[in-house]
Amino acid sequence: MGTKRKRSKPGLPKWAIIAACFVAWSDPALAYRPFDGTDAAVAAPGELEIEFQPAGPLRESGTTTLIAPATVVNYGLSEGWEAVFEGAGQTPLSPAGPTSLTAAGAFLKHVLQPGSLQDKSGPSIATEFGVLLPDSMGSSGVGASLAGIVSQRWDWGTVHLNAATALTRTHHADIFLGGIVEGPSKWSVRPVAEFFYEKEFGQSETISALIGLIWRVQDNLSFDVGLRHALRNGHPVNEIRAGLTFGFPLRLFGERAP
């Protein structure tokens, strides 16, 4: 979601290399990069899904920042439940500055009502809630967020609606309202778009739009690219996002795959 924004923990690039070796044996994984919002679906029990962006530039108010890497790790805990861990490395390029870990968080996501994303009729409804962790630099603290997600898939495409409220890391109230529109899920390359409005009371107001493509190479491997333009307090923000999503079985506590 916009307040916890996607997403790195030290060592995650190693996870990406290890996981790539398992892709051929993976079960399906849905791609919900390159968005700020998400969908009303979770990883299958015992499945690990990784959303990974190696690097991407962000330019705002005459400064350029490298977001590298940005990572989200999703693990299916049980039917309808998943754990989500995320964070991003952020390095100022102009002017230059040290790299910091930002936008880290730990969340639980639960499907309240199975629907079209679970091959049933009607909308899929989910919630995601958790803790916003402090940035590695600066004086930010711990925050919290709660989100609701409604998704509906038709033959012509899929729509995901997101609404979230949060207490930010600087202890300000925040609201996020967003929508994602995707092309037909049967297409191997489908166009996508996202629009959102976010207000951190007393701090900032953001209106954002993104257009992009998702290329599904196989059920467990997708690549994405997106171009984002936003206005934050009236100042332009431009960002290029490109990454991949992959998944594989990971049985914990001595569990055996069926």
Side-chain angles (χ1 to χ4, degrees), residues 2-92:
T3 53
K4 59 186 176 64
R5 179 65 194 112
K6 306 181 174 183
R7 295 149 151 149
S8 175
K9 297 172 63 177
L12 282 175
K14 295 180 181 178
W15 269 111
I17 295 170
I18 295 170
C21 299
F22 288 91
V23 165
W25 296 276
S26 306
D27 290 337
L30 293 176
Y32 279 90
R33 286 192 40 81
F35 311 116
D36 283 78
T38 187
D39 64 327
V42 298
E47 297 295 315
L48 187 71
E49 296 178 0
I50 298 177
E51 304 171 41
F52 183 70
Q53 174 177 290
L58 184 150
R59 185 167 179 80
E60 178 179 4
S61 301
T63 65
T64 301
T65 301
L66 182 66
I67 308 299
T71 308
V72 182
V73 178
N74 308 292
Y75 182 72
L77 298 171
S78 62
E79 192 65 37
W81 284 91
E82 75 174 8
V84 182
F85 306 94
E86 63 184 33
Q90 183 170 303
T91 306

Side-chain angles (χ1 to χ4, degrees), residues 162-233:
N162 287 241
T165 184
L167 178 67
T168 69
R169 297 170 180 85
T170 54
H171 296 168
H172 293 91
D174 184 284
I175 59 169
F176 176 97
L177 299 172
I180 298 168
V181 180
E182 303 186 53
S185 60
K186 294 181 180 179
W187 291 5
S188 58
V189 178
R190 63 186 186 275
V192 298
E194 180 183 40
F195 306 91
F196 76 76
Y197 170 82
E198 182 173 12
K199 182 176 181 66
E200 184 177 357
F201 291 89
Q203 297 296 303
S204 65
E205 186 174 40
T206 303
I207 301 173
S208 175
L210 176 146
I211 58 171
L213 295 171
I214 295 176
W215 173 31
R216 187 179 66 246
V217 179
Q218 56 190 59
D219 284 343
N220 53 14
L221 176 62
S222 295
F223 293 91
D224 64 82
V225 62
L227 301 176
R228 176 176 172 256
H229 176 73
L231 292 175
R232 190 197 309 272
N233 293 340

Side-chain angles (χ1 to χ4, degrees), residues 139-169:
S139 58
S140 67
V142 175
S145 71
L146 172 65
I149 311 107
V150 179
S151 299
Q152 177 68 58
R153 177 174 290 158
W154 296 273
D155 289 341
W156 60 264
T158 307
V159 174
H160 313 285
L161 301 178
N162 287 241
T165 184
L167 178 67
T168 69
R169 297 170 180 85

